[in-house]
Amino acid sequence: MHRLNWSLLSLFSICLIGISSSVSAQDFLRLRDGKTLTGISVRAVTVDGVYLTTDARISWGQIQSGGVNADHREKFDKYLKGLSEPLYLIGQRLRVRDDSSLTEIMGQVDETISLESGPTAMLIHTASFWGLVANGRREEAAIPLLRCYLLSQSAEAIGADVPEGRAIQFDTATGFSADLLPVWHDSKAAKQVLPELNEMLSKLDVIPESTFIMYSTLALAARQHEEADRILQQLSTTRDITKNMASAVRLQRAYLLGDESGLQLVNALEPSIRSMEIPSQIIANYWSGLVLLKSTNDLDQQKAMVHLITVAGKHGQRYPQLAASSLYAIYNLLADQRDRFVVGLSKAERQASRAAIRHEIVSRYSATSIAKRFEVASDDDRTLSLIHISEPTRRYAISYAV
């Protein structure tokens, strides 16, 4: 009897030891901040991290290594290998604003892992957006921008893994974002983006107002004018920002098609530009300037310079490509070599202004595609600034906010 009880007691003890060692050996997480979580119990493992029975979530970017019980081990190992390192690096680069390196890091994410929703998806698409923008691939950035907006509408804590200050800012009601204005400079890239964007839209029950504008402007940039018209005709809104953006799109269309109605559109829009929200102001000034540059009227061309200099002078720091494009348009206007006055400037003054513009683009907007069209400015140009370009048009009120 004693021998039987001792045998049962020994067996029971072995089971307890096995269970105890199994839990302590498997359920632990080593974090990248040097901490080790032990004595934990894992409830679930998903693409968004490890969920504990306490309802705490540990994201993959935080986890360096670890082990979980057999029920979750396969998923844990897969996500640890495919997400941990790249998500950690993505978070790190976002914090220090090293956005140009993000696109390369994105390639390390396991493509077999589905990222449709949740905090990890938001982090990935946010990083994709900033990486594309930083590398001058703005047209492609329209896709992750839309994905981030749609995700932002799904849950309050969706952006929990995005570092502070790096979340894309949206107008909640419409989806417009000042982080990516719908002005495009690469026709080929715009054309390549349209099919994927169209496929995304076909799956939406409700299309954000901003997406109508984004799609139509990309279609115009891709020279698909009928497609742009088709999309724009479907837009119906009472919101001021959408109405203003739509007016700017019509200016873009008139400019690209050489439509004679362009000047009338500018005249109708100009009185309201200053009262618009900032993103609409910038776009309205940009397209108004380009439309007016096509006029043969000297006064229209001077007004065009004011519109374009406003874009560069007030908003060049945040929108360098748009600023450089605005200045480059003026640069081309002043290329007339005849001995006559153009926009109130003599031939010598035009040459000096062109040198100033060239210096401004090369020195201040060196990372833009426009700057790459110029060689390094000469020593003689280095004393010139944007104010020299603006001076001949001083009959208008200009703010030299550079």
Side-chain angles (χ1 to χ4, degrees):
M1 183 68 178
H2 291 291
R3 184 175 300 173
L4 178 60
N5 289 341
W6 176 253
S7 299
L8 289 173
L9 182 60
S10 298
L11 180 62
F12 182 65
S13 299
I14 291 170
C15 290
L16 284 177
I17 292 170
I19 292 171
S20 175
S21 63
S22 174
V23 171
S24 62
Q26 292 181 356
D27 288 38
F28 72 96
L29 299 173
R30 291 194 182 95
L31 306 185
R32 293 186 180 275
D33 62 4
K35 297 178 182 178
T36 299
L37 303 182
T38 58
I40 59 175
S41 182
V42 173
R43 175 174 60 83
V45 174
T46 74
V47 293
D48 292 319
V50 175
Y51 290 83
L52 308 182
T53 52
T54 60
D55 287 335
R57 178 180 69 90
I58 314 298
S59 67
W60 291 112
Q62 296 175 276
I63 301 171
Q64 187 167 28
S65 62
V68 299
N69 59 70
D71 292 341
H72 304 299
R73 191 174 301 150
E74 183 179 353
K75 283 186 176 180
F76 180 86
D77 291 343
K78 179 180 179 179
Y79 296 149
L80 184 68
K81 180 180 179 181
L83 294 176
S84 176
E85 183 70 12
L87 291 187
Y88 167 71
L89 293 174
I90 284 170
Q92 188 182 59
R93 297 297 191 275
L94 284 171
R95 288 184 187 89
V96 300
R97 297 184 178 271
D98 181 14
D99 294 351
S100 60
S101 67
L102 287 168
T103 305
E104 182 179 352
I105 297 172
M106 294 290 295
Q108 300 178 27
V109 177
D110 187 342
E111 294 182 354
T112 66
I113 297 175
S114 177
L115 296 168
E116 297 296 329
S117 61
T120 296
M122 183 60 123
L123 176 62
I124 291 289
H125 295 313
T126 300
S128 175
F129 171 80
W130 290 120
L132 290 169
V133 170
N135 286 286
R137 296 159 62 182
R138 297 180 66 260
E139 291 76 12
E140 296 173 65
I143 300 297
L145 179 77
L146 177 57
R147 293 190 191 281
C148 286
Y149 174 70
L150 296 175
L151 284 171
S152 72
Q153 303 300 294
S154 63
E156 277 188 29
I158 196 72
D161 294 350
V162 178
E164 185 178 357
R166 298 315 316 273
I168 303 169
Q169 300 300 306
F170 293 103
D171 175 71
T172 305
T174 62
F176 285 108
S177 175
D179 292 321
L180 186 70
L181 299 181
V183 178
W184 321 103
H185 305 282
D186 189 331
S187 177
K188 184 178 179 180
K191 186 176 181 179
Q192 291 175 339
V193 165
L194 285 173
E196 184 176 357
L197 185 58
N198 189 44
E199 183 180 355
M200 287 182 64
L201 299 185
S202 68
K203 298 177 181 178
L204 298 179
D205 294 328
V206 178
I207 299 176
E209 292 181 9
S210 62
T211 309
F212 286 96
I213 300 298
M214 183 188 299
Y215 189 96
S216 59
T217 52
L218 282 165
L220 285 172
R223 304 299 188 264
Q224 297 181 13
H225 306 120
E226 292 181 359
E227 179 69 0
D229 292 343
R230 180 184 71 82
I231 292 295
L232 206 55
Q233 287 170 3
Q234 299 176 31
L235 176 61
S236 177
T237 183
T238 57
R239 300 185 183 278
D240 288 341
I241 186 171
T242 310
K243 288 180 179 179
N244 293 334
M245 288 287 187
S247 296
V249 174
R250 284 187 276 273
L251 277 178
Q252 178 187 2
R253 184 185 186 282
Y255 171 77
L256 294 174
L257 294 179
D259 193 329
E260 294 182 358
S261 66
L263 289 176
Q264 296 176 346
L265 291 172
V266 171
N267 291 333
L269 193 63
E270 275 185 324
S272 62
I273 289 179
R274 290 191 176 186
S275 63
M276 293 178 181
E277 58 290 321
I278 296 299
S280 298
Q281 277 188 36
I282 298 169
I283 297 173
N285 273 313
Y286 180 72
W287 289 115
S288 293
L290 293 187
V291 168
L292 289 168
L293 280 185
K294 284 191 170 184
S295 171
T296 57
N297 183 283
D298 192 67
L299 183 59
D300 284 341
Q301 291 180 343
Q302 291 190 39
K303 289 168 63 180
M305 292 176 66
V306 174
H307 281 294
L308 295 171
I309 289 170
T310 298
V311 173
K314 288 187 174 181
H315 310 288
Q317 183 174 0
R318 186 170 186 182
Y319 305 108
Q321 181 69 35
L322 200 56
S325 297
S326 299
L327 294 178
Y328 190 66
I330 301 174
Y331 180 89
N332 287 331
L333 170 68
L334 301 178
D336 193 324
Q337 295 298 310
R338 289 173 292 177
D339 288 322
R340 68 179 185 87
F341 280 82
V342 177
V343 290
L345 298 175
S346 67
K347 181 179 178 180
E349 289 172 327
R350 292 196 301 275
Q351 289 175 339
S353 294
R354 275 168 61 85
I357 293 172
R358 179 176 159 214
H359 166 71
E360 193 76 14
I361 293 173
V362 170
S363 62
R364 186 169 296 197
Y365 308 115
S366 58
T368 67
S369 61
I370 302 297
K372 292 177 175 56
R373 303 181 189 186
F374 295 103
E375 296 177 355
V376 177
S378 67
D379 291 337
D380 292 338
D381 294 338
R382 291 177 183 171
T383 58
L384 299 172
S385 66
L386 188 57
I387 194 169
H388 293 86
I389 308 168
S390 311
E391 198 60 32
T393 61
R394 57 181 174 268
R395 70 178 75 179
Y396 302 102
I398 301 175
S399 173
Y400 297 107
V402 295

